[in-house]
Amino acid sequence: MTDLHRRFLLTGLTAAALTAAVPALAQGGKNSFGGLITPPTFNAADKGRIDKATQYLQALTTAQGRFEQTDFRGRKTLGNWYLSRPGKIRFEYDAPYSLLIVADGQKVKMWDPRLKSFDEYPLGETPLSLFLSRQIRLDQNVVVTQVKSSALGFTLSARDRRKQVEGHIALVFDQAGNGNLTLREWTVTDAQGKATRVHLTSFNRGGGFKSDLFVLSKSQMKK
């Protein structure tokens, strides 16, 4: 797996990583706005959906499940994900990739066992930091640009507000009859219009995870 492909996987999972900040890792292409993007004026129903999504994401503490990622060429990768907010998340790709991506509260680390390649990035410099932070905000570094309702729930489209980078993310929420939300999938579209879709095929809230689940080191991988 090339470094470009590893970064693409990181962008597809973590840039979307469950809040709307994908353009922080996108490449090129300033937007057509002169400064900060001015959010649209939403009606009361759509404002309520944005508030509900923010509250839902804020309330997530621990969760786990399976994911299916589809890139812009239609290639699919599967794996497991584990969440422990604030600060920690883990993505385990199935074979043949067997890639590991772990945020430990300080850094995001990636291990490619096929290439014996280990990379790490400061968590604060990745979009993951916005989702994993103690306080979730969808009205500061990112701006919601569209809200679309459906029979199953609604979709929030958002883009980077400060960096003036082309690209956006669409977060899809299922809404039960009692109003409860479940994050079902997200699609990241980069500056070139290439989309990566991550579908959470299972989503189970809660989980008593061992602390070492969110520990990944180069020396550990060499054992």
Side-chain angles (χ1 to χ4, degrees):
M1 185 181 295
T2 66
D3 182 64
L4 179 62
H5 194 191
R6 290 198 304 275
R7 286 179 177 270
F8 180 76
L9 290 172
L10 179 64
T11 302
L13 278 172
T14 66
L18 315 180
T19 63
V22 58
L25 289 185
Q27 296 294 321
K30 288 192 175 183
N31 62 45
S32 58
F33 297 86
L36 293 178
I37 298 173
T38 302
T41 300
F42 294 107
N43 60 34
D46 286 343
K47 286 180 180 178
R49 293 181 178 102
I50 295 171
D51 290 343
K52 194 171 186 65
T54 302
Q55 293 165 8
Y56 166 80
L57 293 171
Q58 181 66 49
L60 279 177
T61 53
T62 58
Q64 60 185 308
R66 293 278 295 169
F67 68 86
E68 178 185 82
Q69 179 174 295
T70 306
D71 69 14
F72 68 97
R73 294 178 178 172
R75 294 175 299 189
K76 296 183 183 297
T77 48
L78 306 174
N80 300 311
W81 61 274
Y82 306 87
L83 169 71
S84 180
R85 292 190 61 251
K88 299 175 182 179
I89 198 166
R90 178 184 179 102
F91 297 102
E92 298 176 349
Y93 285 79
D94 292 351
Y97 291 116
S98 303
L99 186 73
L100 288 177
I101 299 175
V102 175
D104 61 11
Q106 299 296 324
K107 295 183 178 181
V108 181
K109 302 177 180 180
M110 300 176 63
W111 168 249
D112 185 339
R114 300 195 303 170
L115 296 181
K116 306 298 182 184
S117 174
F118 185 88
D119 300 284
E120 60 182 64
Y121 311 88
L123 176 59
E125 295 179 8
T126 74
L128 267 180
S129 62
L130 296 181
F131 170 65
L132 297 179
S133 62
R134 292 185 180 276
Q135 186 66 36
I136 300 293
R137 297 295 299 269
L138 297 182
D139 60 355
Q140 290 186 339
N141 294 340
V142 298
V143 58
V144 176
T145 57
Q146 187 179 49
V147 181
K148 295 176 64 176
S149 61
S150 68
L152 296 179
F154 60 89
T155 300
L156 299 185
S157 295
R159 64 184 302 156
D160 180 66
R161 188 177 188 181
R162 299 178 305 157
K163 299 179 184 300
Q164 298 185 321
V165 180
E166 294 291 349
H168 65 274
I169 181 173
L171 293 164
V172 179
F173 296 90
D174 287 350
Q175 186 165 10
N178 60 6
N180 290 340
L181 297 186
T182 300
L183 179 63
R184 184 52 56 204
E185 66 179 60
W186 60 89
T187 298
V188 171
T189 304
D190 68 12
Q192 288 72 46
K194 297 176 180 178
T196 300
R197 174 177 173 265
V198 177
H199 180 70
L200 302 180
T201 55
S202 64
F203 193 117
N204 304 305
R205 299 187 71 157
F209 306 132
K210 294 182 179 179
S211 59
D212 61 3
L213 185 67
F214 303 101
V215 175
L216 186 64
S217 67
K218 192 171 185 179
S219 59
Q220 175 188 16
M221 294 299 99
K222 287 183 176 180
K223 293 180 180 180

